[in-house]
Amino acid sequence: MRNRYVGKKIDRVDARDKVTGKALYSADFYLEDMLYLKVLRAPHPHARIKSVDVSKARTIPGVAMAISAKDVPWVKNFGMIFKDQEVLVREKTRYMGDALAIVAAETETIARQALDYIEVDYEPLPVISDPLKALEKESPYIHEPREENCDPGLNPGNLLCTHRLERGDLERGFSEADVIVENEIRTPHIEHVALQPEAGVAKYDKETGVCTMWVATQWLHDIQADVAQALDMKTEQVQIIQPAIGGAFGKREDVSVHIIIALMAILTGRPVKMEMTREELMITQNKRHPIIFRHKTGVKKDGTITAWKAEVIGDTGAYASTGSAVVHQALYMCTGPYNVPNLSGVSYTAYTNNTYAGAMRGFGATQAAFAYETQMDCIAAELGLDPLEFRKKNAYELGSMTPNGQILTTSVGVKDTLEKAAEVFGYKPDQLSKEENGKIRGIGVASSMFGCGYGEGFPDHSIVDLEVTDEGKILVHSAAADVGQGILTVVCQIVAEVLDIPLELVELAPGDTHTSKNAGSTSATRQTIFSGNAAKLAAEELLGKIYHRASLELVKHHPQFLVQEGEIVLQGTETRISLAELAKIAREKGDPLHAEGCYFPRTDVPDEATGQGNLVYVAYTFNTHIAEIEIDKYTGETRVLRVVAVPDVGRVINRIGVEGQSEGGTVMGVGMALMEKQVIEEGITKNADLSTYLIPTSLDMPEIITEIVESGDAAGPYGAKGIGEPALLPAAPAIINAIYNATGVRFFHTPVTPDQVFKAIKDREKKNS
């Protein structure tokens, strides 16, 4: 079959609006008679709140309202999985981002100044910023203990959850090993740095009881539900209209301004707007989870892995957010795309007084990839094996079993990605570092796996609605959030492909909880699979309805029709009718040309004691990076010169989209490897701005070569898999492994900074002298 759009380089459907400035982001919205909101945050990371007095703030000219928790006792807690977070703190702050009071004023300046007049009386409590300390039984409780947290020997008020993995015979596996390698590997807090800070506008209609918001989110319907339950409203009373989204990377899965703007619109009876500053955003909103990995791996002299033991400790900060899912995914991915017959693992998710952690690109699999790829490189070095060949020897193939017990039966391209990466890079086994004029070059390899979709039995679906308009266009209703990854372009491509019409005839309705059905979140690398399949199902159904209506209008038997450039053509004749005309006739006869597609696959809930299941994820994306770096031995500065990235995406839908995600993920990996760390000491964020929190700039860009492997036969439309998160996973470990190749010094943390590299080189030189 000829592919008109699938697999091609198709320009983004939203590109023109973004380039010309026509696209409106949350902060761009303005409503008449609008108030501006500011929030007073916690004075201490862990404190007993005795009182919050807003009376003086209320006397400031231009202040319309100032409230604290005692003014809204009916407001309920919120949270992604556990409802453990207060909209306004009543008794105790748990981190510096906790909200104590809200001011609504005629201008943003007045609202900000009024915060200085709010008086807070509080009693500081011990601050716990180390997850290992938090889990000690004698540590003060951050939250009240829950019965399900009763893991013997651990703190029930600071342990969010425990997960386990068990398969095979670990003791026997280690007894069969010739070499056992043990390491502790750590990753830090990392900030998402989406270009657009959190902002939103809301208005309340007293007559209908509906609160309408223009605010960005990665999951329209989940945030709608969270706002509704927190404010004791019916779901249909909350309407969220999706503006253009200036990046997300997981940050916009969590509630930010959403409940606050809805609450204040209702209380004041006026439209309201809230926009966070970058500093406020970096202190209050979720981070990537810092995770400690303790790996112990048994391996034979020929490189065959026999056993793997893992302990994973994650810091979820003051509130759960998605911590329970992120940290246990780090456990479930702890051995990477490699065959391990005997394994045992446990993960602990701990509360601390740090900024809460949540979803960020990779969702635990990013941290896990750095840990297992560091471990794999250490093993290869210990055995004297080439790191790429060692990975190939143990890599998954058809019939392999994941840590969760899922047998891989389709689309397993990890070995293909290793081989293609080596070919494109010009990789030679046992390549040694090179030194010239004080510059040392090194090469590093890393591979990764990522389970697409929520998986693990979590209800996961997407719905796409299509209708033919009276203008002959195909109008797409989808709540899938396009955070820059291009899902709406993919949906339009698929619709145009199925109907065989010009892409220009496919239009997008705005994402809106009142007019679009649930598409699930833009996370878990799921939208191409889920919304892509839903769009394909809807388009196929719509095509059938178009042909049926055409047969009723043109002839009385069942002819062969073709859709050609917006017209229905009766094959072998000059008979034709336009889509616009057909749509009008169908609507007049009470049978509009409309179709709905719903994709709702089932996955297994892993066994609680062993973590084992049959179908845990609908598909796995694999990726390999080979990085070349250069180190200035006199300064320790590391530059990434070249990265060859080879993802296995099953089947490409939009080639530009895949390449763009690969490049963006690689650059984010450069930041993770060499510079990015949100420094939080005793609960206080030390680098809450972009002058002290460093991210890669154009001057840090390596040459990035993306070569795509299409293993096909995956769960997505036309055999596709996702790429958004897997694009990042191998980048940081490949770079850190290249630093080892260049210097002979192994780093077990990120980021690796110039001072650390310089010191390591000097220490090695002293040792060798």
Side-chain angles (χ1 to χ4, degrees), residues 234-533:
K234 295 179 181 178
T235 305
E236 57 268 25
Q237 289 180 283
V238 177
Q239 179 183 21
I240 304 178
I241 299 172
Q242 187 81 274
I245 304 174
F249 309 115
K251 183 172 287 291
R252 300 189 206 280
E253 279 196 47
D254 278 278
V255 165
S256 59
V257 303
H258 308 79
I259 297 174
I260 290 173
I261 62 174
L263 172 64
M264 296 305 284
I266 292 168
L267 293 179
T268 64
R270 290 171 62 180
V272 299
K273 181 175 187 176
M274 179 177 173
E275 185 173 1
M276 287 188 179
T277 64
R278 180 67 65 177
E279 180 183 20
E280 182 182 14
L281 175 69
M282 294 182 83
I283 292 171
T284 64
Q285 291 302 114
N286 60 323
K287 309 293 168 205
R288 186 184 293 286
H289 285 79
I291 300 182
I292 301 167
F293 295 87
R294 292 167 177 164
H295 283 323
K296 178 181 178 181
T297 309
V299 60
K300 293 182 178 180
K301 289 180 181 178
D302 68 354
T304 303
I305 297 172
T306 61
W308 198 305
K309 183 178 181 181
E311 184 181 22
V312 180
I313 303 105
D315 175 2
T316 201
Y319 299 105
S321 182
T322 52
S324 58
V326 168
V327 178
H328 90 244
Q329 174 151 281
L331 172 68
Y332 286 174
M333 301 290 170
C334 69
T335 60
Y338 306 111
N339 292 298
V340 179
N342 307 292
L343 64 89
S344 176
V346 60
S347 68
Y348 305 105
T349 307
Y351 285 119
T352 66
N353 292 122
N354 296 323
T355 300
Y356 74 94
M360 186 175 176
R361 195 176 194 173
F363 205 81
T366 303
Q367 298 94 313
F370 174 67
Y372 62 67
E373 284 303 279
T374 298
Q375 183 77 347
M376 290 292 287
D377 232 51
C378 288
I379 297 168
E382 181 75 19
L383 296 174
L385 298 175
D386 176 73
L388 190 144
E389 293 301 320
F390 172 59
R391 286 169 169 81
K392 279 177 60 178
K393 179 178 180 63
N394 291 283
Y396 284 161
E397 53 196 2
L398 289 175
S400 289
M401 180 183 290
T402 71
N404 291 107
Q406 181 172 342
I407 303 296
L408 300 176
T409 58
T410 62
S411 196
V412 186
V414 60
K415 285 188 177 181
D416 294 335
T417 68
L418 281 158
E419 292 169 356
K420 179 58 72 173
E423 174 192 330
V424 174
F425 188 89
Y427 182 91
K428 298 175 183 177
D430 303 316
Q431 289 189 144
L432 300 176
S433 63
K434 302 175 183 178
E435 181 175 345
E436 185 177 342
N437 298 324
K439 302 291 180 68
I440 316 169
R441 290 197 177 191
I443 295 168
V445 180
S447 292
S448 64
M449 66 180 288
F450 187 89
C452 300
Y454 305 142
E456 303 175 29
F458 190 91
D460 196 355
H461 75 282
S462 179
I463 300 172
V464 171
D465 284 298
L466 304 177
E467 62 175 303
V468 185
T469 68
D470 287 350
E471 293 75 35
K473 302 287 185 71
I474 309 299
L475 186 61
V476 179
H477 292 274
S478 173
D482 198 319
V483 298
Q485 86 283 25
I487 181 55
L488 296 179
T489 302
V490 166
V491 165
C492 290
Q493 280 181 259
I494 290 170
V495 171
E497 181 78 30
V498 172
L499 299 179
D500 197 19
I501 59 175
L503 194 60
E504 295 74 27
L505 292 182
V506 182
E507 292 188 342
L508 288 163
D512 184 334
T513 53
H514 276 36
T515 59
S516 304
K517 296 182 180 177
N518 200 336
S521 68
T522 291
S523 64
T525 306
R526 58 179 293 283
Q527 286 291 7
T528 290
I529 294 176
F530 285 78
S531 291
N533 271 330

Side-chain angles (χ1 to χ4, degrees), residues 557-568:
H557 56 88
H558 296 82
Q560 294 293 314
F561 288 105
L562 289 176
V563 179
Q564 289 184 353
E565 307 302 313
E567 290 188 318
I568 312 301

Side-chain angles (χ1 to χ4, degrees), residues 82-97:
F82 300 91
K83 306 300 180 188
D84 62 353
Q85 195 163 355
E86 295 174 297
V87 177
L88 288 166
V89 167
R90 296 175 177 86
E91 297 179 357
K92 187 171 84 163
T93 65
R94 295 178 173 87
Y95 86 118
M96 291 299 291

Side-chain angles (χ1 to χ4, degrees), residues 43-161:
H44 191 273
H46 199 196
R48 188 79 57 194
I49 299 300
K50 295 180 178 181
S51 66
V52 179
D53 185 354
V54 299
S55 58
K56 291 182 180 178
R58 288 170 175 166
T59 67
I60 304 299
V63 170
M65 182 175 288
I67 66 167
S68 65
K70 68 180 181 181
D71 298 305
V72 285
W74 46 272
V75 173
K76 300 175 183 176
N77 287 8
F78 68 96
M80 289 286 291
I81 299 174
F82 300 91
K83 306 300 180 188
D84 62 353
Q85 195 163 355
E86 295 174 297
V87 177
L88 288 166
V89 167
R90 296 175 177 86
E91 297 179 357
K92 187 171 84 163
T93 65
R94 295 178 173 87
Y95 86 118
M96 291 299 291
D98 275 327
L100 297 180
I102 307 169
V103 173
E106 299 296 336
T107 70
E108 190 174 16
T109 299
I110 294 172
R112 187 186 304 111
Q113 292 172 343
L115 296 182
D116 295 335
Y117 291 84
I118 299 173
E119 297 176 352
V120 180
D121 187 12
Y122 65 96
E123 174 193 347
L125 298 171
V127 175
I128 304 171
S129 58
D130 181 350
L132 298 177
K133 181 71 174 177
L135 292 175
E136 293 176 1
K137 202 143 193 177
E138 62 273 14
S139 292
Y141 292 166
I142 295 172
H143 289 268
E144 290 303 309
R146 295 195 311 271
E147 290 184 9
E148 61 266 33
N149 286 14
C150 296
D151 199 304
L154 298 178
N155 190 308
N158 300 339
L159 175 65
L160 174 62
C161 59

Side-chain angles (χ1 to χ4, degrees), residues 674-751:
L674 301 179
M675 58 192 77
E676 292 195 51
K677 180 181 181 180
Q678 190 86 75
V679 179
I680 302 177
E681 296 177 359
E682 296 300 306
I684 306 295
T685 302
K686 297 292 186 177
N687 55 339
D689 57 61
L690 294 181
S691 64
T692 52
Y693 183 92
L694 303 181
I695 60 173
T697 70
S698 59
L699 298 178
D700 301 298
M701 295 300 101
E703 177 189 9
I704 302 171
I705 304 165
T706 297
E707 187 75 25
I708 302 168
V709 166
E710 296 185 81
S711 60
D713 200 25
Y718 305 98
K721 296 186 286 191
I723 181 58
E725 289 163 284
L728 162 65
L729 270 54
I735 293 165
I736 305 298
N737 289 340
I739 292 175
Y740 170 77
N741 177 252
T743 65
V745 179
R746 181 72 67 185
F747 291 93
F748 296 93
H749 65 270
T750 66

